[in-house]
Amino acid sequence: MSDKRRSEFELLVLPHLGAAYSLARWFMRNPQDADDAVQDSMLKAFKGFGGYAGGDGAAWVLAIVRNTCLTKLERKRAESNIVVLHDVMETLEASRHPSMVQPAASQDHAMIMEEERKSVHTAIAALPVQFREVLVLREFHDLSYREIADVVGTPVGTVMSRLARARERLKAQLMKDTGAESGKVS
Amino acid sequence: MTRMDCAEVGDLLQPFADGELPTDERHAIALHLAGCSNCADALAELEALRSRVKRAGTHPLPPDLATRVRAKLAAQGDTKVSSTWRQRSMLAASHAVAAGLGGFLVYGLLTQADRQDRVRHDLISSHVRALMSGQPMQVASADPHTVRPWFSGRIPFSPPVKDLTAEGFPLLGARVDYVSPDTVAAMVYGRRMHRITLFVRPIAHQEPVSVSQSSRDGYNTVTWRDGAFRYDVVSDLNRNELTAFAKLIHDGSVN
């Protein structure tokens, strides 16, 4: 690749690396797999840069990241069901671990915030992938319904209904968490 | 304005909170919310959930990942496979441009690309400099019959001048500019908020001109030759619309 093409790639694609990682992290649900997925995605983007027809660079990159992650997840699932179980266990552990430290009045604000952050993250990670992706693209990537539809490859109406269901489930999950928490305390 | 009931508002509450609704529906919902505490509560709950999610935030980029990605890409660029791919894609791109401009234009060897790059850089600089000066035109006119004679006293050639207002690219004016090593005619066109500079000059010193398209620092350029003239258009307009503009100019200059 020429230096010119390379600098175009630097200019148009690499600024979205943070967004790419964020999305990959929500798909893969652990840092190592997200890291791998981003590297693979960037390589694909680099190789496919000739076919990039201009337009929104972020949406183009995110669509590549999404496809890469889905392929990886599919392969993982095919390889072994144990892996999936392991993921679930990991998620459960992550959610259980912080509550082993009882929040006390003396604990500082930052710690409580961290607790809150973890429980929201765990609840999002527990969403089925088709709900999780639209929620993440909307809330963390600030994509419009139209842009989400382009990345995910579904009609706008589907984006809307999935987003509504994602939020319903998330709300239910967070309420359940709060319930479990207070149950434990009493 | 049509009134909405709770069921209708309930269905539209999420797109309402996401800012996805047109003004009239937004107003109808606001009107309903003002008089319905159930729906107002539902919206408040939704907003609370959204801000809880936003406060939790997403996962930040690991500090060394950008470096590792760059290293991986750098290693990639040196392989034979990717250079073959590059030639093929550039060929495809130039075919596409050639086809877009009418297909019959002569286009030069791809190895010209690097030499052309320098010229393109100068043209983009001229375009940007002129816009930044606030005086991109020495003559402000949408009338080719004003612009054409204006050129004739200032440069030793007479470039074709076309107004494309009907096609959505109004002619705004023109200037004479110096783009090393030539004096060029520069015409400024508008497209929404964007400005397009069309540079025209006689082809000098047996210079081979290839039909090409490129983008650099957010600016797109399209270059082609036609008879005795070389044409370059520069703009921050997207590539498709700029190519459409180039095609209009090209087709116009034939007549």
Side-chain angles (χ1 to χ4, degrees), chain B residues 29-61:
Chain B
I29 289 173
L31 200 69
H32 178 94
L33 290 172
C36 173
S37 61
N38 278 348
C39 288
D41 286 351
L43 179 64
E45 221 170 280
L46 176 61
E47 296 287 11
L49 178 72
R50 291 196 67 206
S51 56
R52 216 177 148 184
V53 168
K54 288 200 179 245
R55 254 200 324 273
T58 189
H59 301 278
L61 184 67

Side-chain angles (χ1 to χ4, degrees), chain A residues 33 45 78 83 89 91 140 153 155 169:
Chain A
D33 287 348
V83 179
M89 292 303 286
T91 311
F140 296 136
R169 280 174 179 245

Side-chain angles (χ1 to χ4, degrees), chain A residues 36-139:
Chain A
D36 288 349
V38 168
Q39 299 213 33
D40 289 1
S41 302
M42 285 299 143
L43 210 56
K44 272 190 209 169
F46 191 66
K47 288 179 175 170
F49 192 48
Y52 171 58
D56 188 356
W60 185 71
V61 172
L62 291 176
I64 293 174
V65 170
R66 175 181 185 270
N67 290 336
T68 306
C69 288
L70 288 178
T71 308
K72 277 183 179 293
L73 288 170
E74 192 50 52
R75 198 179 305 143
K76 236 175 143 180
R77 199 170 300 136
E79 271 169 13
S80 163
N81 287 325
I82 296 165
V83 179
V84 177
L85 184 62
H86 173 77
D87 273 5
V88 174
M89 292 303 286
E90 219 170 54
T91 311
L92 286 175
E93 278 308 310
S95 66
R96 198 165 294 149
H97 180 72
S99 60
M100 277 155 45
V101 185
Q102 291 291 328
S106 62
Q107 268 176 338
D108 64 339
H109 185 65
M111 210 153 177
I112 295 165
M113 290 301 287
E114 178 59 15
E115 186 97 343
E116 157 72 4
R117 194 184 64 80
K118 274 186 184 155
S119 75
V120 173
H121 276 200
T122 307
I124 295 171
L127 291 172
V129 70
Q130 73 272 29
F131 297 144
R132 200 188 322 142
E133 61 178 354
V134 292
L135 184 88
V136 165
L137 289 170
R138 175 66 210 143
E139 304 293 25

Side-chain angles (χ1 to χ4, degrees), chain B residues 139-171:
Chain B
V139 54
S141 171
D143 186 359
H145 300 294
T146 306
V147 174
R148 211 173 290 127
W150 182 84
F151 273 131
S152 70
R154 289 169 178 81
I155 43 176
F157 58 97
S158 92
V161 181
K162 198 183 182 197
D163 179 31
L164 296 173
T165 304
E167 288 82 2
F169 298 97
L171 174 65

